[in-house]
Amino acid sequence: MGRWICCLCSRVADSLMLLLVLALSCNPSTAATASPSAPHIKPSYSFGRTFLGLDKCNACIGTSICKKFFKEEIRFDTWLSSHLKLPPSYLLSYLGNYTDDAKSWRLVDITRLTSKYQHDRADKRICTSLLKTKTCSLERALRRTRRFQKWLRAKRLTPDLVQGLSSPMLRCPSQRLLDRIVRRYAEVPDAGSIYMDHLTDRDKLRLLYTLSVNSHPILLQIFPDVEGWPFPRYLGSCGRLVVSASTRPLRDFYGAAPEVAADLALQLLAVLRSMGTNDLNYFFYFTHVDAGTFGVFSNGHLFIRDASTLGIIDKEEGSQLIDGQQEYKDIFSCLTVDCQSAFVSCNSIREKHSLIMVCQELLPKLLKGKFLQPVQEKIDSFLQHCADGLADDQGVNEAVAKLAELLKPLRSCDSRFAYRYPDCKYSDKY
């Protein structure tokens, strides 16, 4: 009897199971619910708007490369790991990788225009100065300023719209230079026009903010490397981060071999020469140089890595602002510098200005103790004449010319200098 009951129970259970399977097969939605498939979770960056600075737009640089960040086509660090982590937000610059096809990657520099501390301090100054509060909508506060209201009404970027801004690039502006900025501003669709009709209110605020904080990305846009200018390629901006082609700072080469040091010193002098004499008749000068101002690409080519301290004088048109007009100050003049800082007179800038600074600050560290006597003694002597040449323009030029002649035979021609190899084998130029 017990065995019969057990057999009956087993058959009933089998029948119920069969009915359940049939029911599930007739109802796809129920089957899907009953047997879910485990989704493949792709690791990704936990990007915050705060890290990128998007929470501060439109008081930011731009958004042209944001998609690359969120699609993970820009990654931080030199490794392409699946364990993706954001670096600390307080750093001024980051080394990253950039791709267009998810297969080949190239190094890029990801930088802030100022440190996060300086950005936060400037944001606080905007709120306390304009709205008398500790926190505010930066965009709303800046839109209410007299300067930006003038920008909104303007059809063309004119010298009076940039007067008093702290950027060295704008201390002695010409209309020709300002037209070039509008025509080549890369954060908007290219209109090829000197008039600002193609710039929205948002675009105008971003351009004004960038010019007020740091003109480095603007210089990269209006004097691109593809036209032969000694700047790294501008790839785009997202919030308050700028992405450009990667270079190693000159300080990394202070301990380089003698032939490498000689090559870099000659390139440095050539860059300064091109900045003073070029087809467009712009004279570029530095207000400050340090070991991070210049950088070197992987092929050995030297470029200007940080253009934030570059001033420009238009030798064709001259300055359209007299020095008295430069003293105008407002909140845009004070975003990164002390409002009491005095401007350098346009008339006081001389062509040897940058050469003297480089002879004082960079070349001695690059060339010190690299060569045998009496060559090293001659190099040191020429550098000293250049560095001391404040009252003698001719003396500076002569010292630099003699230094270049002395360095030329000291460099070598091999694959370490890919930017000129193998051309140097077949040219008297090298």
Side-chain angles (χ1 to χ4, degrees):
M1 184 70 175
R3 291 177 62 189
W4 180 83
I5 292 174
C6 287
C7 183
L8 179 61
C9 291
S10 177
R11 289 178 179 177
V12 170
D14 290 343
S15 301
L16 290 173
M17 183 61 70
L18 179 61
L19 289 172
L20 179 59
V21 170
L22 290 172
L24 289 174
S25 63
C26 295
N27 189 343
S29 62
T30 307
T33 305
S35 181
S37 59
H40 174 68
I41 300 175
K42 181 183 178 182
S44 62
Y45 287 117
S46 299
F47 270 118
R49 291 168 59 81
T50 302
F51 180 86
L52 295 169
L54 283 170
D55 59 324
K56 304 298 176 65
C57 281
N58 290 305
C60 63
I61 311 165
T63 56
S64 62
I65 209 166
C66 286
K67 286 184 180 179
K68 285 279 186 183
F69 278 103
F70 289 107
K71 289 168 65 179
E72 295 174 21
E73 293 176 346
I74 295 177
R75 293 185 178 182
F76 290 88
D77 279 328
T78 54
W79 42 265
L80 303 178
S81 171
S82 60
H83 305 289
L84 303 175
K85 279 187 175 182
L86 287 177
S89 60
Y90 58 80
L91 297 178
L92 188 60
S93 63
Y94 312 88
L95 193 61
N97 289 275
Y98 176 102
T99 185
D100 287 318
D101 55 14
K103 296 178 182 178
S104 58
W105 295 80
R106 52 193 166 115
L107 291 176
V108 292
D109 289 332
I110 305 169
T111 56
R112 302 183 188 277
L113 296 191
T114 67
S115 68
K116 189 174 185 302
Y117 168 77
Q118 289 174 304
H119 268 311
D120 292 343
R121 186 180 176 189
D123 294 344
K124 185 177 180 181
R125 184 183 292 129
I126 292 171
C127 293
T128 54
S129 299
L130 300 179
L131 297 182
K132 311 301 180 186
T133 60
K134 291 184 178 180
T135 59
C136 68
S137 165
L138 300 176
E139 180 174 356
R140 187 170 73 246
L142 294 176
R143 277 177 171 271
R144 293 172 56 178
T145 60
R146 185 175 68 169
R147 186 191 294 266
F148 187 65
Q149 289 300 312
K150 288 178 66 176
W151 272 64
L152 288 179
R153 295 189 298 269
K155 293 291 184 182
R156 192 175 182 183
L157 185 59
T158 51
D160 63 297
L161 296 177
V162 299
Q163 65 176 311
L165 298 185
S166 62
S167 168
M169 183 181 77
L170 299 172
R171 290 183 186 172
C172 312
S174 68
Q175 187 60 59
R176 187 169 70 114
L177 176 63
L178 298 179
D179 288 343
R180 190 176 182 87
I181 291 174
V182 173
R183 196 171 61 248
R184 295 186 168 216
Y185 182 42
E187 288 298 312
V188 299
D190 181 16
S193 172
I194 62 174
Y195 297 101
M196 296 197 290
D197 298 335
H198 62 294
L199 270 63
T200 64
D201 294 357
R202 175 200 66 193
D203 298 329
K204 290 182 178 181
L205 181 57
R206 290 178 181 177
L207 176 57
L208 173 56
Y209 179 85
T210 307
L211 290 172
S212 303
V213 174
N214 188 327
S215 58
H216 169 76
I218 303 299
L219 273 159
L220 269 55
Q221 294 168 43
I222 66 176
F223 298 108
D225 67 310
V226 293
E227 295 180 2
W229 297 97
F231 301 109
R233 181 166 301 180
Y234 177 81
L235 298 172
S237 300
C238 184
R240 290 181 169 179
L241 292 179
V242 178
V243 183
S244 59
S246 178
T247 59
R248 288 176 60 192
L250 187 63
R251 69 170 69 88
D252 290 357
F253 296 86
Y254 283 168
E259 62 272 18
V260 174
D263 183 81
L264 292 175
L266 283 168
Q267 286 193 72
L268 185 51
L269 295 176
V271 165
L272 295 183
R273 191 160 51 248
S274 69
M275 294 286 91
T277 305
N278 51 75
D279 293 341
L280 293 185
N281 266 335
Y282 288 116
F283 167 57
F284 297 77
Y285 66 93
F286 286 98
T287 58
H288 171 77
V289 295
D290 58 37
T293 301
F294 297 90
V296 183
F297 283 122
S298 58
N299 65 357
H301 207 170
L302 181 137
F303 276 62
I304 296 173
R305 188 171 189 258
D306 179 4
S308 62
T309 62
L310 266 182
I312 302 178
I313 293 177
D314 191 336
K315 295 196 290 186
E316 189 170 300
E317 285 190 5
S319 172
Q320 309 245 330
L321 279 182
I322 60 173
D323 290 332
Q325 288 178 289
Q326 293 180 349
E327 297 305 319
Y328 173 83
K329 301 280 179 68
D330 66 357
I331 189 64
F332 290 101
S333 310
C334 314
L335 291 182
T336 56
V337 297
D338 183 357
C339 284
Q340 305 305 315
S341 298
F343 289 118
V344 176
S345 169
C346 298
N347 296 326
S348 67
I349 306 300
R350 295 154 72 181
E351 292 200 9
K352 64 178 182 178
H353 185 79
S354 297
L355 275 174
I356 292 174
M357 283 196 295
V358 166
C359 288
Q360 291 173 341
E361 301 294 330
L362 302 183
L363 289 179
K365 297 173 184 175
L366 183 64
L367 300 174
K368 182 179 180 181
K370 287 284 171 43
F371 307 95
L372 298 175
Q373 300 297 353
V375 173
Q376 185 68 55
E377 185 178 353
K378 291 181 180 179
I379 289 175
D380 295 341
S381 175
F382 292 145
L383 286 177
Q384 191 62 50
H385 281 306
C386 173
D388 293 342
L390 289 174
D392 183 8
D393 289 6
Q394 188 64 28
V396 171
N397 292 329
E398 288 180 1
V400 168
K402 290 178 180 178
L403 176 63
E405 286 301 316
L406 190 61
L407 290 173
K408 281 179 182 179
L410 299 177
R411 58 182 179 173
S412 63
C413 179
D414 58 62
S415 58
R416 287 176 298 171
F417 311 100
Y419 79 95
R420 58 180 174 88
Y421 180 84
D423 294 351
C424 54
K425 277 189 172 184
Y426 311 104
S427 173
D428 295 334
K429 176 183 175 183
Y430 298 104

